[in-house]
Amino acid sequence: MSRLIALLLLMGLPQVGFAAEQPLTLLTMQPGEGGEETYSTSIQILLIMTLLSLLPAILMTMTSFTRIIVVLAILRQAMGTMQTPSNQILIGLALFTSFFIMSPVFERAYEAGVEPYMAEEMTFDAAMTAGIEPFRSFMLSQVREADLLLFTSLSESEGYPTEADIPLSVLLPAFVTSELKTAFQIGFLIFIPFLIIDLVVASVLMSMGMMMLSPMLISLPFKIMLFVLVDGWSLVIGTITASFYS
């Protein structure tokens, strides 16, 4: 968990202390050992605080979180259990499942960017670029080519020679769009068995003349029983997880 926190901060705090009376000067550069220039400590702190405010957006757009939470929301709607499980439980389940799926990406990003920077073996800019690269590889492995072409055309670009040349401004919206499409496809397949149960129950009630009785009230126990008998939670989470490695 400590590595994950350090990775989300991405660059860590530099090991440079401030004197109490030293003024906080922005937009200054400091010379590095190899002659290159790095951002001053105040700029790095400002960037870290900005990243902290963007962590929810980063979590939702650069990881597997979007696909998982959408599928779980569709599942709850298909079962007709209203607010059970609650939003907090679904978000927690999606969050920790995302950590499980993304753990290899987190490890590679930490080893490539954060660890060398904290050991003062890499500059700030190089560490940020190296830390983002595993996330780029993950998104490129999941994004659909049609979505990439769509946002490439919307950006009025003539195309990119290699995948490494695709900017995040194009890759991120294409990845999120692809994740939403995949999530709805999985949700459609999950919805079908519960829809069949609703149709059967509604037909039986109609044939018995019990039209005033809500079919949802009768079908809910059968849907819960079916979901429990097939070990639904393990099946759904396993299917979502496997979809990222196919």
Side-chain angles (χ1 to χ4, degrees), residues 22-187:
Q22 181 177 355
L24 188 65
T25 305
L26 298 179
L27 300 177
T28 59
M29 303 291 290
Q30 296 175 344
E33 295 181 358
E36 73 280 358
E37 290 185 334
T38 60
Y39 291 109
S40 65
T41 304
S42 56
I43 286 293
Q44 295 181 34
I45 293 176
L46 179 62
L47 292 176
I48 290 173
M49 298 305 295
T50 303
L51 285 175
L52 286 175
S53 65
L54 295 176
L55 280 183
I58 293 174
L59 176 64
M60 289 187 291
T61 56
M62 297 180 64
T63 68
S64 58
F65 182 83
T66 300
R67 184 185 305 185
I68 298 172
I69 193 63
V70 171
V71 171
L72 293 179
I74 293 176
L75 170 63
R76 185 176 64 180
Q77 183 70 23
M79 292 182 64
T81 54
M82 301 301 179
Q83 295 299 317
T84 304
S86 64
N87 291 333
Q88 291 84 352
I89 294 176
L90 291 185
I91 292 174
L93 178 60
L95 183 64
F96 286 105
T97 305
S98 298
F99 285 162
F100 172 78
I101 295 172
M102 299 296 297
S103 57
V105 179
F106 290 149
E107 289 291 334
R108 291 197 300 269
Y110 181 85
E111 293 173 359
V114 179
E115 194 171 34
Y117 177 76
M118 296 179 68
E120 299 183 355
E121 299 174 354
M122 188 176 291
T123 62
F124 180 84
D125 292 338
M128 179 174 292
T129 302
I132 292 177
E133 190 58 35
F135 290 92
R136 284 178 52 88
S137 300
F138 171 78
M139 290 188 287
L140 285 170
S141 68
Q142 301 298 323
V143 72
R144 300 173 187 269
E145 184 178 354
D147 295 319
L148 273 177
L149 292 176
L150 170 64
F151 285 96
T152 299
S153 62
L154 291 176
S155 65
E156 299 181 353
S157 173
E158 297 180 356
Y160 305 99
T162 63
E163 292 182 345
D165 296 323
I166 302 175
L168 286 177
S169 59
V170 172
L171 180 58
L172 274 174
F175 172 73
V176 175
T177 304
S178 297
E179 288 293 284
L180 289 174
K181 183 176 181 179
T182 303
F184 274 88
Q185 289 176 337
I186 298 174

Side-chain angles (χ1 to χ4, degrees), residues 195-216 218-219 222:
L195 179 61
I196 292 175
I197 293 177
D198 285 333
L199 291 175
V200 170
V201 171
S203 300
V204 171
L205 292 178
M206 184 73 69
S207 64
M208 296 175 62
M210 304 175 66
M211 293 176 292
M212 300 300 294
L213 185 61
S214 173
M216 292 289 295
I218 304 301
S219 63
F222 292 99

